[in-house]
Amino acid sequence: MTKTDNVTPETLDWENLGFSYIKTDKRFVSYWKNSQWDNGALVSDNQITISEGSPALHYGQSCFEGMKAYRRKDGKIQLFRPDENAKRMRKSCERLLMPSFPEDKFVEAVKQVVAANEAWVPPYESGSTLYIRPYMIGVGDNIGVAPATEYLFSIFVLPVGPYFKGGLAPTNFIVSDYDRAAPQGTGAAKVGGNYASSLMPGKEAKDRQFSDCIYLDPATHTQIEEVGAANFFAITKDDRFVTPKSSSILPSITKYSLLYLAEHALGLEVAEEPIFINQLDDYKEAGACGTAAVISPIGGIQTQDDFHVFYSETEVGPVTQQLYKLLTGIQFGDVQAPEGWIEVI
């Protein structure tokens, strides 16, 4: 028995959800054996049994995705750009020599799981969402350093509140001496090892009362790459929306959505370009963005003995505020989305 076994949709405080595991009713499970995927099925059991020789356990052959389902004001449920999650997971699988789960079946499986857990989708007025976690692991009786002979693909869901407590409010970050990923490594893939290596620097940042750490490029340690488990963005003093450019940054779906909205909805010039840690004075606003965090405004960044404040440590900058309102409006169905961004369940 876990502490979540007795939680039900009727007992949840929807407006005060954290970001922690809750067992919901159904999850999708499919196995790859003999060079093909089975049809998959919805199951109730949240426990999996795998061989002790599974490469996921020893060699990190695992990848995952993060996405959300949103309850609209009219009560319907919608997904935000699930096809992009399917594409990104395919690329992660390819990087680890794992068999890709077909993109169309990925989206269909996500819809099945959300529909089967409809009671767990938070109400519109709560501002909370249903977090969706697809993942794939290499399993089977292996011991040599080689791809697995069998694979497990699964999707589970759980209701969540804001990733950073306090909602849309500036928080501070500190530059880490650690690297998130190696040059030409797995930084651009959403694989488990990237996150395992972030645990220690993340803890050290939180121990020093920062929300998380800033990772610099692993080759030169001069350019900002990521913010904890999220992507970085900034607004220049001449109103350009910019994000770091690097082959070791995870291609955030939220980031690319913000790049599009900044250009087409707000009329800003946008760019992916180097953002040097010693040139923070060039930017008037900054933030972290991702599925879990959505947008987390950055109040200030600690770099060695220097603490740089952007717009404010207490107030959200106007461009960041506009982008947050626009993006969440689209995700919750209050704002017309660009064509192809929304899938209604």
Side-chain angles (χ1 to χ4, degrees):
M1 293 281 287
T2 68
K3 64 181 180 180
T4 65
D5 284 340
N6 295 321
V7 173
T8 67
E10 292 75 26
T11 62
L12 279 177
D13 181 357
W14 296 109
E15 295 182 0
N16 292 292
L17 289 172
F19 200 91
S20 57
Y21 180 82
I22 294 174
K23 180 187 176 184
T24 52
D25 298 332
K26 299 288 185 179
R27 64 273 311 130
F28 178 85
V29 178
S30 180
Y31 287 93
W32 189 88
K33 296 180 180 180
N34 300 318
S35 301
Q36 63 181 2
W37 290 105
D38 64 17
N39 292 327
L42 292 173
V43 302
S44 299
D45 191 0
N46 69 334
Q47 304 295 310
I48 60 174
T49 301
I50 61 174
S51 167
E52 62 186 358
S54 296
L57 301 177
H58 306 279
Y59 310 126
Q61 199 182 24
S62 67
C63 66
F64 68 97
E65 273 299 317
M67 50 200 300
K68 290 178 177 178
Y70 306 82
R71 179 84 68 178
R72 304 192 319 200
K73 189 179 292 185
D74 63 7
K76 293 183 179 179
I77 301 169
Q78 65 182 33
L79 302 172
F80 179 74
R81 309 191 75 177
D83 56 319
E84 293 299 323
N85 291 96
K87 292 176 185 176
R88 189 170 66 179
M89 189 162 195
R90 172 180 55 79
K91 293 177 181 178
S92 295
C93 289
E94 290 172 352
R95 179 64 179 82
L96 296 187
L97 296 181
M98 304 170 80
S100 301
F101 197 77
E103 292 177 27
D104 57 339
K105 292 184 178 179
F106 175 103
V107 175
E108 182 57 36
V110 168
K111 291 181 176 179
Q112 287 182 35
V113 177
V114 173
N117 292 284
E118 181 178 358
W120 294 94
V121 182
Y124 166 83
E125 59 273 11
S126 70
S128 297
T129 55
L130 187 76
Y131 186 77
I132 305 165
R133 171 54 58 86
Y135 68 94
M136 189 186 299
I137 57 175
V139 299
D141 298 325
N142 301 264
I143 197 60
V145 181
T149 56
E150 300 177 6
Y151 295 87
L152 164 66
F153 171 73
S154 183
I155 305 170
F156 65 90
V157 300
L158 59 147
V160 298
Y163 188 77
F164 292 112
K165 294 180 180 180
L168 191 68
T171 58
N172 299 326
F173 295 79
I174 184 170
V175 172
S176 176
D177 292 329
Y178 291 97
D179 292 329
R180 171 184 163 271
Q184 308 304 316
T186 58
K190 200 167 178 67
V191 302
N194 295 346
Y195 296 82
S197 65
S198 74
L199 296 177
M200 181 180 289
K203 181 181 184 300
E204 290 182 0
K206 294 177 177 66
D207 286 346
R208 294 184 61 181
Q209 307 306 308
F210 292 94
S211 287
D212 211 327
C213 55
I214 301 278
Y215 293 106
L216 303 181
D217 71 291
T220 70
H221 286 191
T222 60
Q223 303 169 36
I224 291 177
E225 286 213 334
E226 292 208 350
V227 187
N231 275 196
F232 179 88
F233 71 86
I235 312 299
T236 65
K237 290 184 175 177
D238 58 352
D239 284 323
R240 296 169 60 244
F241 180 94
V242 297
T243 67
K245 184 175 181 61
S246 168
S247 60
S248 56
I249 293 176
L250 182 73
S252 166
I253 295 162
T254 303
K255 178 187 76 175
Y256 284 111
S257 300
L258 290 174
L259 280 163
Y260 181 92
L261 294 173
E263 180 178 11
H264 294 90
L266 302 187
L268 304 179
E269 181 182 343
V270 302
E272 291 180 84
E273 62 188 28
I275 297 178
F276 291 94
I277 192 64
N278 65 353
Q279 296 177 7
L280 296 182
D281 285 336
D282 293 346
Y283 309 99
K284 61 181 181 179
E285 298 179 36
C289 62
T291 297
V294 188
I295 291 178
S296 179
I298 296 177
I301 293 178
Q302 182 76 43
T303 58
Q304 296 180 342
D305 296 329
D306 178 63
F307 182 69
H308 177 86
V309 176
F310 292 97
Y311 182 78
S312 167
E313 287 189 77
T314 58
E315 298 180 11
V316 181
V319 178
T320 301
Q321 182 78 53
Q322 283 181 285
L323 287 169
Y324 178 83
K325 185 176 181 179
L326 184 57
L327 178 61
T328 56
I330 290 171
Q331 292 172 332
F332 281 97
D334 297 327
V335 175
Q336 182 67 37
E339 185 176 356
W341 280 24
I342 298 298
E343 291 262 6
V344 180
I345 296 177

